[in-house]
């Protein structure tokens, strides 16, 4: 299905612009008209991270006239393995500002708008309202559902992508012409079920594979060229080196774009996606210690059994001294329970405190009543107790 161009053409291209974009202008399907549409286009990139990096760089190079960047984070050394819009000298800088500098360097004719803030229910309509199309490069479910709902409610198309380890997905969601994200994923996965890239890792170059699909689709929608990926889902497997295209249908019962929508405004997305499962949320009450508590316990030689519930590769990078590795899966399956000492208090930790909370719920259910977990995990330990350890 081809769709009409989203954007009206700008009045003219300058001589400099004609020179710069000549390789576009000589493609018959794009031509001067398509380039004028790009010049008039206003695109917002949510997140200047893994997907946002190639997306912003190629949208800028392509001549999208106005590019917005929304990101509240700062550049960390662990970002540079994939977030190629930032460089070594940008470490510690706001990502939105660092990205804007790169965009200006790639193409001075692009007007960059910096939104150095977190996207929230309070500002999402106001920010999205300034743009024709949204490119979603977020890495968490709460923001993803918020982006979807805001786009559906405002009638805007958005190009979505997601990456994990060697796998990627991409689609164009546009409720007016096809399905939305909720049609494909009506419910978020249970908390703790789907690890983030920070927990599970991502092959850096995967960002380019999926980000380039997103930019390609954005350009197609803006200019009306070809058939946009509305109603289609690309599933990319880097290990097999395969791209599969799957049909996605609009769900007539979709909560927001269906025939009888139950969601007519923004909702509480943190609650909807749940930071913790109910069991884990119950388990941590009264059974959570801080890294300072743990540090004191270790110094006082309190007889505890400290268990790291992350994966072996993470344990190899950094661990709290004196800990034993038992991946969360082995605790949840019950396989590791027999090896745990009965005579000492069990203290669990992970990277941030989510996985250890899930493991704590399983331990308590198995009878380890005095087990506790460490709030903030090894990340908090590195920050507050021993900054000489590597953060990841
Ligand atoms: Zn829908």
């Amino acid at each position: 299905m081809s769709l009409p161009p989203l954007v009206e053409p700008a009045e003219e291209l300058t001589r400099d612009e004609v020179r710069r974009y000549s390789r576009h202008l000589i493609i018959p399907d794009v031509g001067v008209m398509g380039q004028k549409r790009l010049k008039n286009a206003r695109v917002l990139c949510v997140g200047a991270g893994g997907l946002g990096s190639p997306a912003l760089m190629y949208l800028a190079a392509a001549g999208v006239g106005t590019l917005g960047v929304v990101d509240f984070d700062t550049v960390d050394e662990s970002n540079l393995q994939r977030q190629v819009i930032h460089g070594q000298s940008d470490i510690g800088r706001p990502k939105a500002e660092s990205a804007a500098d790169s965009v200006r360097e790639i193409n001075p004719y692009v007007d960059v708008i910096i939104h150095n803030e977190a996207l929230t229910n309070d500002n999402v309509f106001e920010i999205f309202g300034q743009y024709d199309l949204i490119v979603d490069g977020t890495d968490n479910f709460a923001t993803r559902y918020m982006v979807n709902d805001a786009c559906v409610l405002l009638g805007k198309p958005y190009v979505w992508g997601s990456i994990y380890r060697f796998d990627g997905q991409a689609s164009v969601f546009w409720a007016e012409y096809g399905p939305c994200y909720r049609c494909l994923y009506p419910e978020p996965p249970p908390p703790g079920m789907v690890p983030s890239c920070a927990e599970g890792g991502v092959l850096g170059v995967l960002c380019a594979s999926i980000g380039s699909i997103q930019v390609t689709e954005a350009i197609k929608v803006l200019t009306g060229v070809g058939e946009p990926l509305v109603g289609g889902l690309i599933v990319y497997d880097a290990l097999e080196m395969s791209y599969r295209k799957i049909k996605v249908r609009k769900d007539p019962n979709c909560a927001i774009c269906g025939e009888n929508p139950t969601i007519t405004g923004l909702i509480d997305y943190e609650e909807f996606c749940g930071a913790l499962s109910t069991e884990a949320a119950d388990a941590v009450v009264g059974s959570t210690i801080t890294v300072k508590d743990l540090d004191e316990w270790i110094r006082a030689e309190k007889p505890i059994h400290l268990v790291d519930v992350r994966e072996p590769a993470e344990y190899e990078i950094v661990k709290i001294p004196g800990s034993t590795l038992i991946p969360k899966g082995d605790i949840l399956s019950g396989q590791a329970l027999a090896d745990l000492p009965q005579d000492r208090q069990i203290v669990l930790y992970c990277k941030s405190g989510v996985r250890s909370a899930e493991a704590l719920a399983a331990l308590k259910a198995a009878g380890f009543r005095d087990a506790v977990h460490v709030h903030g995990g090894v990340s908090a330990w590195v920050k507050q107790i021993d900054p000489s350890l590597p953060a990841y």
Side-chain angles (χ1 to χ4, degrees):
M1 173 177 61
S2 55
L3 296 174
L6 182 67
V7 177
E8 290 300 314
E11 278 191 10
E12 57 174 10
L13 299 176
T14 64
R15 284 177 54 153
D16 289 343
E17 285 169 335
V18 168
R19 258 202 316 274
R20 173 175 286 261
Y21 304 125
S22 63
R23 300 299 185 278
H24 272 171
L25 303 181
I26 56 179
I27 306 176
D29 291 339
V30 181
V32 172
M33 185 56 85
Q35 195 65 47
K36 283 181 174 174
R37 293 189 196 279
L38 291 178
K39 181 177 179 178
N40 225 10
R42 303 175 62 90
V43 174
L44 176 72
C45 203
V46 181
L51 293 172
S53 288
L56 284 163
M57 292 166 91
Y58 273 103
L59 287 167
V64 168
T66 306
L67 267 182
V69 190
V70 53
D71 202 312
F72 67 95
D73 208 359
T74 51
V75 180
D76 182 85
E77 196 174 10
S78 68
N79 300 146
L80 302 182
Q81 156 262 19
R82 65 199 177 286
Q83 301 181 16
V84 294
I85 202 166
H86 314 294
Q88 182 71 21
S89 61
D90 295 314
I91 291 173
R93 292 184 69 201
K95 283 189 182 177
E97 285 176 19
S98 160
D101 283 352
S102 297
V103 164
R104 291 187 195 106
E105 179 63 22
I106 290 167
N107 189 346
Y109 306 124
V110 175
D111 191 8
V112 196
I113 301 175
I114 297 173
H115 305 276
N116 188 8
E117 57 192 319
L119 201 58
T120 66
N121 282 12
D122 294 330
N123 62 17
V124 66
F125 282 141
E126 193 256 319
I127 294 177
F128 281 19
Q130 305 168 36
Y131 298 92
D132 301 308
L133 177 141
I134 314 297
V135 173
D136 181 13
T138 52
D139 58 357
N140 70 83
F141 288 97
T143 312
R144 212 170 265 168
Y145 279 96
M146 176 173 65
V147 168
N148 177 73
D149 292 0
C151 285
V152 173
L153 294 169
L154 291 172
K156 294 196 188 281
Y158 86 100
V159 188
W160 165 79
S162 118
I163 46 174
Y164 180 70
R165 291 189 176 164
F166 296 99
D167 298 318
Q169 298 186 358
S171 186
V172 176
F173 296 115
W174 198 353
E176 205 176 328
Y177 296 103
C180 79
Y181 182 74
R182 281 182 189 272
C183 295
L184 178 62
Y185 297 115
E187 299 281 340
M193 280 295 289
V194 178
S196 66
C197 288
E199 289 169 352
V202 58
L203 188 72
V205 69
L206 195 70
C207 302
S209 308
I210 298 301
S212 82
I213 293 176
Q214 291 183 280
V215 175
T216 308
E217 290 304 317
I219 290 173
K220 284 160 62 185
V221 170
L222 294 168
T223 58
V225 169
E227 296 200 2
L229 196 53
V230 174
L233 172 72
I234 294 290
V235 179
Y236 172 59
D237 180 336
L239 292 180
E240 299 249 326
M241 194 43 77
S242 67
Y243 285 93
R244 282 185 303 139
K245 189 171 165 184
I246 297 168
K247 258 208 173 90
V248 182
R249 289 183 202 287
K250 194 175 179 76
D251 177 2
N253 299 315
C254 175
I256 190 158
C257 81
E259 285 153 18
N260 299 299
T262 52
I263 297 171
T264 53
L266 300 174
I267 62 169
D268 184 336
Y269 294 95
E270 292 295 339
E271 193 196 315
F272 177 64
C273 295
L276 290 175
S277 69
T278 320
E279 295 80 16
D282 289 345
V284 299
V285 177
S287 300
T288 300
I289 63 168
T290 65
V291 287
K292 291 214 167 77
D293 296 333
L294 177 61
D295 188 39
E296 280 167 22
W297 288 10
I298 292 172
R299 285 171 194 281
E301 294 180 12
K302 186 173 172 177
I304 58 167
H305 188 67
L306 185 59
V307 178
D308 186 322
V309 302
R310 297 172 302 154
E311 298 302 313
E314 299 177 88
Y315 190 70
E316 215 168 279
I317 297 170
V318 60
K319 54 183 165 281
I320 298 179
S323 59
T324 307
L325 175 71
I326 306 178
K328 184 191 82 176
D330 294 346
I331 292 177
L332 297 193
S333 70
Q335 192 189 323
L337 294 179
D339 302 334
L340 289 172
Q342 305 278 349
D343 56 341
R344 276 177 294 161
Q345 186 174 16
I346 312 271
V347 179
L348 304 173
Y349 76 88
C350 61
K351 183 180 184 185
S352 65
V354 174
R355 281 175 282 174
S356 59
E358 302 290 338
L360 181 66
L363 273 198
K364 286 194 153 188
F368 293 86
R369 297 268 158 226
D370 64 348
V372 295
H373 91 130
V374 182
H375 180 73
V378 70
S379 294
W381 179 271
V382 171
K383 258 193 205 128
Q384 297 175 33
I385 307 295
D386 189 356
S388 74
L389 292 174
Y392 76 107

